[in-house]
Amino acid sequence: MSKLQQFHGSDLEAVARYFHLPQEEIICFGANVNPLGLSSSVKNTLAEHLEIISSYPDRDYSSLKKQISHYCHVCPQNIVVGNGCTELISLFIQLLKPRRALLPIPSYSEYEREIALSGGTVEYFPLSQEENFSLNLSSLYKVLEKNIDLLILCNPNNPTSTATCVDDLTRILSFCKEKHIFVMIDETYVEFVEDMDKITAMPLTESFDNLIVLRGVSKFFAAPGLRFGYGVTGNNGLLSQLNSIKNPWSLNSIGAYAGELLLSDKNYIQKSRSLISSERKRICKRLRAFSFIQVYEPAANFILLKICKDNLTSYDVFVHAIQRGLMIRDCSSFVGLEGEFIRFCLMNPEDNDRLLDCLEEILA
Ligand SMILES: Cc1ncc(COP(=O)(O)O)c(C=O)c1O
C-alpha cells in the first residue's frame, strides 16, 4: 500500500470510507478521548433539562464560571469561557498578534495555523528524542532571547505525552516576564496525569500576568461535540479585551449547563483518573517487552512509540491495525518527529489488549 493518504486522529468517517469498514465497528485510539464516554448522570440530567435550549445563555456565564472557579481553584473574575479550547486559542492569538511565537515541536498543529492566520511567524524549538522530548530549559532560554513575544506550551504535550513540572513552569514564566514574553499553556490533557498538582499552571495565573492557561472538556470528559472550553488569566486587560471581541454567546446554553454538570461530577472524575492510571502502567509494562519499539514515558492518556524495525513504517503499522478495526494515529504529519512514530490513546482494558495483541504481531 502506498503512503498517499494522511489521516488525523479523529478522522473516523474518512478512515471508514477509505478502508471500506463499518464506522461503528472501528475502535478509535486516535482521538485521545476518555473511553468511559459521556458521564451517564450528566446525560440523564441533560435529557431532563432540554428546555434550556429555549433560553439564551447567561451573557456572563456566572454560574458556569463559579463552577470552573471551584474546580480549578481560581477567581471567577479571571475566567473566560468559549466554544472549545480551539476558540480561545484563536481569540487569544488574534488579540495578541504575536510577531514571533516559539513552539516546542512536535506539538498540536492548531497553534501554528492560528499564528499564520494572524500574520505572525512560528519559530520551532525541536524537542530532542535523546532527551525523551522533555523541555531543556537552558536551551529554551537561549532561543527565547531571540525576539520572541509568545511562548506556546502544550502541557502535557500532544503527541509526545510528556509534561513539564510546575517548578520548571515557574522558572520559565519568571524568565519570560523579564523579557516581556507572553506564555500560553494548553492544558487540554492535564486531568489525565498522575499528580495534576505537580503539572498544572492554574495557581500561577495569580502571580504571573504574562500567562493564560486554556482547557476544555473534549478529552477528559469525553465531550468533544459540546464545544466547551475555558481560559484563565490574571491579566485584567487581556481578559476584558478577550470578552469584548468574543461573540456574546459563543457557548450555547446546553454547553454551559453541561459544562457545570461535568466539572462537578466527582464520581466520574475519580473513575476516569483511576482507569487511565492503571491502564497506563499496565500497557507500558507490556510494551516494554516489545523488541522493535521505543516507548516514551507517557504523562497523559496517550502513548507515543517509535518504530525501530527496518522497512516497517508508521503507515504500515496504521494499516495493520485498521484492518483489524483498530484506528491509531500515524504521526508522520507531525513536524519535528524524525523517524517512524505512532500514537494511541488508552481505551477500555479489553480494547487495549486487542491493540497490544495486534501490535505484538509485528513489533514484538
Ligand atoms: C492539545 C490540544 N488542544 C486543543 C484541542 C482541541 O480542544 P477543543 O476540542 O476543546 O477545542 C486538541 C484536540 O485534539 C488538542 O489535542
Side-chain angles (χ1 to χ4, degrees):
M1 190 136 350
S2 68
K3 197 171 179 166
L4 289 173
Q5 199 70 22
Q6 292 260 352
F7 299 103
H8 284 272
S10 48
D11 277 350
L12 211 54
E13 292 89 350
V15 167
R17 224 178 305 119
Y18 190 81
F19 290 93
H20 308 289
L21 294 167
Q23 193 179 320
E24 57 288 355
E25 285 176 22
I26 300 176
I27 303 168
C28 187
F29 289 88
N32 296 342
V33 171
N34 185 338
L36 292 184
L38 190 63
S39 150
S40 52
S41 76
V42 170
K43 220 185 285 184
N44 294 338
T45 315
L46 268 184
E48 288 161 14
H49 289 85
L50 282 180
E51 79 286 349
I52 56 175
I53 296 175
S54 307
S55 327
Y56 277 94
D58 163 22
R59 236 175 212 273
D60 298 324
Y61 296 98
S62 305
S63 176
L64 176 60
K65 284 184 185 170
K66 208 167 141 197
Q67 186 55 49
I68 299 169
S69 140
H70 187 68
Y71 181 69
C72 298
H73 311 291
V74 294
C75 292
Q77 304 90 282
N78 290 357
I79 298 168
V80 55
V81 302
N83 197 260
C85 181
T86 305
E87 185 194 25
L88 297 168
I89 294 171
S90 172
L91 283 178
F92 168 70
I93 289 174
Q94 273 173 45
L95 252 186
L96 196 78
K97 286 205 175 17
R99 281 169 292 105
R100 265 160 70 86
L102 188 67
L103 176 66
I105 54 159
S107 195
Y108 182 54
S109 59
E110 194 58 24
Y111 317 124
E112 199 171 346
R113 193 184 76 94
E114 288 296 342
I115 287 176
L117 284 174
S118 77
T121 54
V122 172
E123 203 60 34
Y124 291 142
F125 179 74
L127 299 169
S128 140
Q129 287 182 37
E130 290 68 38
E131 291 175 322
N132 295 319
F133 298 107
S134 63
L135 208 53
N136 180 317
L137 294 209
S138 51
S139 314
L140 181 75
Y141 292 161
K142 281 187 201 135
V143 188
L144 282 171
E145 302 263 20
K146 295 181 188 165
N147 259 333
I148 297 295
D149 49 4
L150 172 67
L151 170 65
I152 299 175
L153 296 176
C154 182
N155 198 35
N157 186 36
N158 178 11
T160 58
S161 203
T162 45
T164 304
C165 68
V166 73
D167 293 343
D168 280 349
L169 293 175
T170 310
R171 291 184 190 102
I172 294 168
L173 279 158
S174 302
F175 183 91
C176 287
K177 172 90 184 149
E178 217 172 276
K179 307 282 173 196
H180 308 288
I181 300 168
F182 214 100
V183 182
M184 179 183 92
I185 305 185
D186 179 346
E187 292 195 349
T188 287
Y189 296 102
V190 80
E191 286 113 317
F192 290 110
V193 305
E194 198 69 44
D195 189 350
M196 208 174 127
D197 291 344
K198 290 198 175 132
I199 304 297
T200 180
M202 280 296 177
L204 302 179
T205 55
E206 302 275 327
S207 36
F208 289 98
D209 65 359
N210 58 330
L211 169 66
I212 185 162
V213 181
L214 305 178
R215 284 194 197 167
V217 293
S218 296
K219 309 297 184 178
F220 185 77
F221 291 96
L226 198 65
R227 311 305 309 133
F228 161 46
Y230 53 97
V232 180
T233 177
N235 187 315
N236 294 331
L238 173 69
L239 262 175
S240 63
Q241 281 182 297
L242 276 172
N243 281 316
S244 68
I245 66 162
K246 207 169 96 45
N247 286 332
W249 298 291
S250 66
L251 176 61
N252 64 60
S253 47
I254 292 272
Y257 182 57
E260 266 187 67
L261 298 175
L262 290 171
L263 300 185
S264 60
D265 192 341
K266 290 204 172 101
N267 187 31
Y268 179 90
I269 293 169
Q270 193 273 326
K271 236 170 107 181
S272 304
R273 290 174 59 79
S274 142
L275 172 71
I276 296 301
S277 167
S278 66
E279 281 304 281
R280 188 166 43 218
K281 287 185 195 120
R282 191 178 73 83
I283 298 305
C284 281
K285 191 169 171 207
R286 243 192 103 179
L287 283 170
R288 281 193 202 98
F290 285 27
S291 311
F292 299 107
I293 56 165
Q294 177 159 357
V295 190
Y296 299 92
E297 197 62 39
N301 61 324
F302 51 89
I303 303 176
L304 181 74
L305 295 186
K306 184 172 188 178
I307 300 158
C308 310
K309 191 175 185 180
D310 289 346
N311 304 317
L312 188 72
T313 67
S314 51
Y315 189 70
D316 295 334
V317 179
F318 173 83
V319 171
H320 180 79
I322 197 65
Q323 284 169 343
R324 286 148 185 83
L326 310 170
M327 180 177 157
I328 57 169
R329 176 71 198 259
D330 165 6
C331 291
S332 48
S333 64
F334 278 97
V335 183
L337 277 183
E338 303 294 322
E340 300 294 333
F341 288 85
I342 56 165
R343 187 199 71 199
F344 61 86
C345 65
L346 298 163
M347 299 297 283
N348 286 314
E350 321 77 72
D351 294 335
N352 294 335
D353 281 334
R354 268 186 69 190
L355 179 65
L356 273 261
D357 291 347
C358 152
L359 295 178
E360 199 168 41
E361 288 164 15
I362 48 175
L363 293 168

